[in-house]
Amino acid sequence: MIRQLLRRYKQARKMRQRLAAGKPIPMPGVAKRALLREVAERHKLGVFVETGTHRGETPWALRDVFGKIYTIEIEPLKVEAAKKLFAKCPHVECLQGDSGKVLPQVLAKLDKPALFWLDGHFMDEHSGDPNDPTPVSAEVKMVLEHPVRGHVILIDDARLFGTPGYPTLEAVRGEVMRRRPDLEWSVELDVIRLVPR
């Protein structure tokens, strides 16, 4: 409990600093998880697919919301830590590898709509590839091409799109509209949202 309070205090301080510097404010983790819970309930989604496990906080917070969770992480040490965290949660699969290669394996198992939380990106020397900061374009394309309709795609860190290594928001939106004009596109609170109309 003390750790949670300290984390929230640090998040609040970081948000104040970013606001003072005139930078876009990333949504705090607790708010992101509340958004994911609300979207899952509104669209009646029982499967969650995450790219970028990091510390496993998101699937941990949502482990009682979904009947099946897949979380993909490129860093082996983070995957091992996540597997220990979820040792007593058989419905949570922690998968190691590049999401561009692992996500097709997950998609092959899906026969009903899922909530996708695309958050895989380079963070530091222990998380991802600095020469390929984000696999988001490939991830979005794979989900859009999946034969099951009704998926909801949420993409974190919208503020980074258009910076080095990231596609522009316009490029991603154009790709979505070409492939799936039936999806509604919006960007709110640093999250790109693709939902069925």
Side-chain angles (χ1 to χ4, degrees), residues 122-137:
F122 176 73
M123 292 175 66
D124 56 37
E125 67 274 8
H126 302 294
S127 184
D129 180 356
N131 299 313
D132 186 16
T134 179
V136 71
S137 293

Side-chain angles (χ1 to χ4, degrees), residues 11-64:
Q11 284 179 340
R13 185 177 67 193
K14 187 175 180 180
M15 287 179 66
R16 285 193 302 273
Q17 289 170 343
R18 290 185 66 84
L19 185 59
K23 296 179 181 174
I25 300 172
M27 197 166 37
V30 67
K32 291 176 186 180
R33 291 184 275 281
L35 168 67
L36 292 167
R37 181 182 298 269
E38 186 270 325
V39 168
E41 290 171 359
R42 182 177 351 131
H43 293 276
K44 297 177 176 51
L45 300 169
V47 178
F48 181 66
V49 181
E50 172 190 52
T51 60
T53 308
H54 194 42
R55 294 187 193 108
E57 293 168 326
T58 299
W60 181 259
L62 301 173
R63 69 192 183 283
D64 297 328

Side-chain angles (χ1 to χ4, degrees), residues 173-187:
R173 185 176 189 276
E175 183 72 13
V176 170
M177 293 302 103
R178 270 191 303 279
R179 293 178 181 277
R180 294 289 307 281
D182 58 307
L183 294 177
E184 185 175 311
W185 163 283
S186 65
V187 181

Side-chain angles (χ1 to χ4, degrees), residues 5 11-12 24 52 67-68 80 87 98 128 131-132 139 146 171 173 191:
L5 290 173
Q11 284 179 340
K68 184 65 181 179
E80 288 309 310
D98 180 330
N131 299 313
D132 186 16
E139 293 172 348
H146 193 254
R173 185 176 189 276
V191 176

Side-chain angles (χ1 to χ4, degrees), residues 108-129:
K109 298 177 184 180
L110 297 182
D111 59 0
K112 58 185 174 183
L115 172 56
F116 288 83
W117 178 240
L118 305 182
D119 192 23
H121 56 84
F122 176 73
M123 292 175 66
D124 56 37
E125 67 274 8
H126 302 294
S127 184
D129 180 356

